[in-house]
Amino acid sequence: MKLKNVGIIGLGTYVPENIMKNSDFEKIIDTTDEWIRTRTGIEERRFASETEATSDLGAEAAKAALKSANISAEDIDMIILATTTPDYPIQSTACVVQELIGAVNAAAVDINAACSGFVYALTMAKALIVSGMNKNILVIGAEVLSKCVDMLDRNTSVLFGDGAAAAVVSEVEDGYGIISQFLGSEADVKGVLRTPAGGTRKPLSQEVLDERSNFLQMKGQDVFKFAVKALPKATLEALNAAGMKPEDLDMVFPHQANVRIIEAASKRLEIPMEKFYLNLNKYGNTSSASIGLALGEALEKGLVKKGDTIALTGFGAGLTYASMILKWSY
Ligand code: UT7
């Protein structure tokens, strides 16, 4: 039996208006614009306003994706929202987005695969459509990391930003769409990338607030070592599953954490840097939103065309890693 071809039929993005420049951090913590730029490639990032939550960003990206796909919110039968920074501990952010966009016929669920979340969610959407369970799925990666990172911790505060990307996933014509995917995970037993408190292991208390352990903590070098292996490994696994080689790719959309990680992956994969799309200089690390934000910008610039072969590759907390090969379908 021939399986359905599934692909992205529309994509939308959204970032908050407020720009936080590297130099703005110089007033709060012991850092410099030069350190941030040379160690990460980041120049500025967007921060949500006091009243903006993850669902607000996700809903704006979702509306743009529906417009791009030329379908209405009522046509969506499932929303899969990837986030590490939900609006609430209980009530999924997907359900809040459902209300905001009027997707009255959809089921809705959140997933958390951190910075690999967008690729994990796309993979799940593909499986649901191939199985016949769903027809049109809205995949969203949305984050407001600025409210979950300690602004006084220079190891993390300068790295992250807020944003959202959304894709409408549906059946596409033969020869196009998602060709293959790879999902991986290695449990982070040492806690190199984790928010230690505020969940059920260590619920919120005065002690937690005093030690600021309700904010994300990261051992940067350990994560860096994982990332430089995970990015090439995930991409190669997905390429192998597609029966393809690195040179078959027209473009790669990596998770936008640090330009040095992407340069290392470029060397290992023997794919020139020009094929890696980068916009982390403008948005920083937006976790589950970053790959979609990069892809959306490249589409707007006309850099991805129908028939192009592209890879989406993520890595992050969990520790998770994931990659997907697509033949672009519009
Ligand atoms: O999306 C999740 C995935 N996350 C990632 O992929 C992040 C992976 N890690 C990284 O990108 C890098 O490890 C960082 C950008 C986080 C750090 O870069 P690094 O080159 O690994 O620096 P480091 O941690 O070795 O720190 C070097 C120095 C230290 O000072 P000493 O001990 O040499 O005196 C740090 O205290 O830089 C210092 N430092 C800073 N200095 C100025 C750390 N953060 C800052 C800062 N400004 N913001």
Side-chain angles (χ1 to χ4, degrees):
M1 192 186 78
K2 200 186 157 316
L3 296 178
K4 285 178 188 156
N5 284 293
V6 176
I8 294 173
I9 64 159
L11 199 115
T13 63
Y14 177 79
V15 289
E17 273 175 28
N18 180 32
I19 297 175
M20 182 81 179
K21 291 186 184 305
N22 288 349
S23 55
D24 296 327
F25 282 102
E26 293 176 353
K27 297 165 207 150
I28 316 172
I29 47 170
D30 180 16
T31 192
T32 60
D33 169 50
E34 208 252 334
W35 189 96
I36 304 168
R37 254 186 308 107
T38 54
R39 297 284 180 131
T40 69
I42 299 165
E43 292 162 20
E44 58 187 45
R45 71 289 289 139
R46 302 299 178 99
F47 276 4
S49 71
E50 233 170 81
T51 56
E52 267 178 319
T54 298
S55 63
D56 299 313
L57 277 55
E60 289 307 316
K63 285 185 216 160
L66 291 170
K67 198 169 169 213
S68 150
N70 200 21
I71 67 169
S72 74
E74 291 93 53
D75 296 327
I76 297 296
D77 51 12
M78 171 64 86
I79 301 171
I80 306 176
L81 187 143
T83 192
T84 54
T85 56
D87 285 21
Y88 308 108
I90 293 181
Q91 188 192 19
S92 76
T93 305
C95 283
V96 184
V97 169
Q98 169 180 32
E99 165 71 17
L100 289 172
I101 64 171
V104 288
N105 299 313
V109 67
D110 282 4
I111 65 156
N112 178 348
C115 313
S116 313
F118 200 65
V119 180
Y120 264 73
L122 286 171
T123 302
M124 289 168 184
K126 172 185 168 180
L128 287 168
I129 293 170
V130 167
S131 75
M133 289 265 297
N134 292 111
K135 254 183 111 174
N136 297 312
I137 302 185
L138 192 55
V139 164
I140 305 170
E143 304 281 359
V144 175
L145 285 147
S146 62
K147 296 183 187 180
C148 302
V149 164
D150 186 350
M151 284 301 138
L152 301 180
D153 175 9
R154 69 176 185 174
N155 292 310
T156 51
S157 60
V158 302
L159 304 175
F160 296 96
D162 304 338
V168 178
V169 182
S170 298
E171 194 170 352
V172 294
E173 61 185 296
D174 266 5
Y176 293 91
I178 299 165
I179 301 169
S180 68
Q181 59 287 313
F182 167 81
L183 303 182
S185 169
E186 278 172 26
D188 173 15
V189 285
K190 286 197 284 177
V192 298
L193 187 51
R194 174 188 289 162
T195 300
T200 56
R201 179 67 62 196
K202 194 168 184 188
L204 207 56
S205 64
Q206 192 55 50
E207 183 200 341
V208 165
L209 292 174
D210 290 344
E211 65 187 21
R212 302 179 80 78
S213 55
N214 54 314
F215 291 118
L216 176 69
Q217 291 179 5
M218 179 171 76
K219 294 192 177 73
Q221 285 191 6
D222 289 304
V223 179
F224 194 95
K225 281 181 205 147
F226 163 74
V228 295
K229 279 191 269 169
L231 210 175
K233 180 174 160 54
T235 312
L236 283 176
E237 293 277 4
L239 280 168
N240 283 343
M244 289 183 173
K245 300 215 156 359
E247 56 265 33
D248 296 324
L249 292 172
D250 294 304
M251 223 177 226
V252 183
F253 294 88
H255 169 49
Q256 311 276 315
N258 186 325
V259 69
R260 292 190 290 132
I261 293 171
I262 298 168
E263 281 164 358
S266 154
K267 275 206 190 101
R268 279 193 196 208
L269 288 165
E270 296 181 14
I271 297 175
M273 270 305 275
E274 300 79 68
K275 286 194 176 181
F276 287 82
Y277 192 83
L278 294 178
N279 63 1
L280 62 89
N281 59 321
K282 287 197 292 185
Y283 302 122
N285 180 344
T286 58
S287 193
S288 68
S290 83
I291 293 171
L293 269 181
L295 179 56
E297 197 174 274
L299 282 165
E300 245 170 50
K301 290 183 177 167
L303 297 174
V304 178
K305 289 177 232 59
K306 186 170 180 177
D308 283 355
T309 305
I310 64 168
L312 314 181
T313 305
F315 54 86
L319 299 163
T320 59
Y321 50 124
S323 186
M324 172 171 276
I325 311 296
L326 297 104
K327 179 84 59 185
W328 197 250
S329 48
Y330 67 91

